[in-house]
Amino acid sequence: MGKLTKTSTPLLFQSKLLCFSLSYLFLSLLFAFYNSISSTTRCHFGSSLIHPIQSPLFNYPPSYGQHKHPIPTLHSSCDSPVFFKDYWFVLNEIRRIAKNSSWNSKGLRYVQRDGNEGGFGMNYTTKKRMSYFEYRNDGIEIPCGFFKKFPISVYDKIAMESCNEVVVVSAIFGDHDKIRQPKGLGYKTLDHVCFYMFVDEITLKQFYHHNLLSQKNKENRIGVWRIVKVSSDELYENSAMNGVIPKFLVHRLFPNSKYSIWVDAKMQLVVDPLLLLHSLVIEPDVDMAISKHPFYVHTMEEAIATARWKKWWNINALRIQMETYCENGLQPWSTKKHPYPSDVPDSAIILRKHGVASNLFSCLLFNELEAFNPRDQLPFAFVRDQMNPKMKLNMFDVEVFEHVAIEYRHNIKHGGSVGVQIPRTKWASPDSLANGGSGGKCDSYLKEMWGESKD
């Protein structure tokens, strides 16, 4: 009988530790690859979006650097605080609503003015502005800007009026932000959602400089965004105030749209806008959806922060604004204000149903911004609480806000924004605070606002 020959074990498999390490490495790489190709669909949509757009919407040149400085969030992108229904169900539901809706035909009537003299808004007195807070649908015309022509091309205006379902709107003035493309759009979303970005000459010049646009094309488009040039020299000196026009008067710029989403240029949507509208506006049956502020609940807290961090240069004007609101009924937030959970929003993303209530709120708020300053969080609760009819409002949690969008830092340049001169700060005096006209209703807050802003 022959001897049995022993087959030698390959050297690679003689070490159990080496085998275990290689197996672990292989499984880790496989898991990482699976996560990389499925995280967006799995985390944000589950099974609701069967055919997302896979290819990039636009390839930016490296010189533009559109993804610089994202602000980190502590919340997991896979731990969804909001439920989204099936994409195809949502698409058909919104199409049905838009086709059969009649609420826009019974909208507000607006004050008109012939000619192109004067300002964009009338800048009414406090008494006159508040006289429009009680809306009775009796034919009274509401002041809502546009007393001066909005300086865009006729070509763009016709296109805007043809947007009949949903519009997503943003704006960049003074080259203050980068233009970014939304992520996770559904297969048919671009057939039913218009994307419009309003820019001024300075921002447009940067688009040309980075070859994002060609001056030969009549219709300017970057990815999904249709670029609309606004001659800002014909509007307000302050670029932030020019941005307020598309932010709060979107229902006038797009008179045939049934829904809108405002997105600050510092934000990048990562959830399909149709899913957002359905989950945050249509299902809860509200006129508007907006995030709660992550830190503040009371309007005065936001006013103090505005003064302290010099978000608005005229501190004395801030004091007068807060005194005006206190004199005319502004109350601190309390449980009596339920179902409103807060008086201070984060207005970087606003979702609207274009109906009487939300349109009236937007007009009234715009009038306050023109009267005082473009800090839209300051008059928010005052207008909301004083207007009638009341607006049905969904103030959703910050976790939802951070789940549906990525926030980036502004495109800050040395010496302030391009083309914008920041005025010297005007301080309120302690005496003027102590002798204000609020009758003690806001004095303690106003003194604190002055004291903290001077630190």
Side-chain angles (χ1 to χ4, degrees), residues 314-328:
N314 194 333
I315 308 301
N316 193 54
L318 288 175
R319 175 190 64 82
I320 293 172
Q321 181 180 12
M322 290 300 101
E323 280 190 344
T324 300
Y325 292 160
C326 287
E327 289 174 359
N328 289 280

Side-chain angles (χ1 to χ4, degrees), residues 235-247:
L235 293 172
Y236 297 97
E237 293 183 4
N238 184 276
S239 61
M241 192 62 207
N242 288 327
V244 162
I245 297 172
K247 184 172 186 177

Side-chain angles (χ1 to χ4, degrees), residues 15 33 50 61 172 187 243 249 255 263 268 289 294 316 337 389 406 423 431:
S15 170
F33 176 73
I50 303 173
I172 304 175
Y187 181 66
L249 303 186
V263 183
Q268 180 184 29
N316 193 54
K337 289 194 177 186
I406 300 173
D431 292 338

Side-chain angles (χ1 to χ4, degrees), residues 2-19:
K3 292 183 178 180
L4 292 171
T5 59
K6 294 183 178 180
T7 58
S8 59
T9 304
L11 184 62
L12 181 65
F13 297 104
Q14 289 183 8
S15 170
K16 293 183 179 179
L17 181 60
L18 179 61
C19 288

